[in-house]
């Protein structure tokens, strides 16, 4: 067995001729434990040496799929709670987002998805209703201000301003 890479060899001390010289192989029948640092110092082998044979290196990639990628929409819910809390929809969405996060921490992915779906729906309604009511309020405020300024200017014109 070589220190740098694994190759099946007979269980005896053999010498192998490599590109840069001859190195001794470790006996697999040895009774003493192998100390890699001592072996490297004795045989002057660098710690990070590239393999010097032409055997292909095979790699294995293991992909682990985790189901913890359930979005809980907590940031969106917090935004709606602070800025778009018409009819308390933002607060309700925030409560469902917290419940979704709790379920995810416990490991109940089905419950987390259910609460996250409800929070998403409430966030959409809170955002749409909040934007519509805010735009309506701005339109009424601007229209009311224009009507008041017109009324004041008509009163001034009617009484002559003297």
């Amino acid at each position: 067995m070589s220190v740098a890479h694994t190759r099946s060899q007979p269980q005896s001390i053999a010498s192998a001729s490599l590109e840069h010289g001859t190195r001794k192989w470790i006996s697999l029948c040895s009774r003493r434990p192998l100390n890699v640092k001592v072996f490297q110092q004795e045989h002057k082998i660098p710690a990070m040496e590239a393999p010097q044979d032409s055997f292909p290196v095979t790699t294995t990639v293991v992909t682990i799929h985790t189901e913890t990628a359930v979005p809980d929409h907590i940031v969106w819910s917090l935004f709606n709670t602070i800025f778009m809390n018409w009819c308390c929809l933002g607060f309700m969405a925030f409560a469902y987002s917290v419940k979704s996060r709790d379920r995810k921490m416990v490991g109940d992915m089905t419950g987390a998805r259910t609460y996250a779906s409800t929070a998403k729906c409430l966030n959409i309604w809170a955002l749409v209703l909040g934007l519509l009511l805010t735009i309506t309020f701005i339109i009424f405020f601007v229209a009311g201000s224009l009507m008041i300024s017109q009324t004041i200017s008509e009163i001034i014109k009617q009484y002559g301003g003297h």
Side-chain angles (χ1 to χ4, degrees):
M1 241 180 149
S2 172
V3 174
H5 56 280
T6 305
R7 188 187 324 175
S8 90
Q9 292 292 328
Q11 295 194 7
S12 64
I13 299 177
S15 56
S17 176
L18 300 174
E19 294 177 25
H20 299 291
T22 305
R23 296 199 179 127
K24 290 185 179 180
W25 293 89
I26 301 172
S27 172
L28 295 177
C29 296
S30 173
R31 297 276 186 232
R32 63 183 184 160
L34 174 65
N35 188 341
V36 177
K37 289 183 182 181
V38 172
F39 181 79
Q40 287 176 350
Q41 289 172 354
E42 288 177 1
H43 299 285
K44 298 176 185 165
I45 298 174
M48 298 298 289
E49 183 177 296
Q52 297 184 8
D53 57 356
S54 62
F55 291 113
V57 178
T58 58
T59 58
T60 303
V61 178
V62 177
T63 306
I64 300 173
H65 296 284
T66 58
E67 295 190 27
T68 57
V70 177
D72 52 16
H73 309 291
I74 200 154
V75 176
W76 188 12
S77 299
L78 187 61
F79 173 81
N80 283 339
T81 300
I82 295 172
F83 296 110
M84 304 272 181
N85 201 19
W86 297 97
C87 301
C88 293
L89 288 176
F91 179 73
M92 289 172 31
F94 185 71
Y96 276 95
S97 295
V98 171
K99 285 182 177 184
S100 173
R101 181 168 282 188
D102 290 343
R103 292 283 94 200
K104 188 167 50 171
M105 292 298 162
V106 170
D108 180 17
M109 294 303 148
T110 306
R113 279 190 199 96
T114 303
Y115 284 125
S117 174
T118 305
K120 182 179 179 180
C121 183
L122 289 171
N123 277 322
I124 291 171
W125 279 106
L127 185 65
V128 169
L129 187 62
L131 288 175
L132 287 176
L133 291 176
T134 302
I135 290 170
T136 304
F137 178 74
I138 290 172
I139 290 171
F140 281 143
F141 182 75
V142 169
S145 298
L146 290 175
M147 289 178 64
I148 290 173
S149 65
Q150 268 185 338
T151 305
I152 292 174
S153 66
E154 285 181 18
I155 291 173
I156 291 175
K157 284 181 187 177
Q158 192 177 27
Y159 289 109
H162 293 57

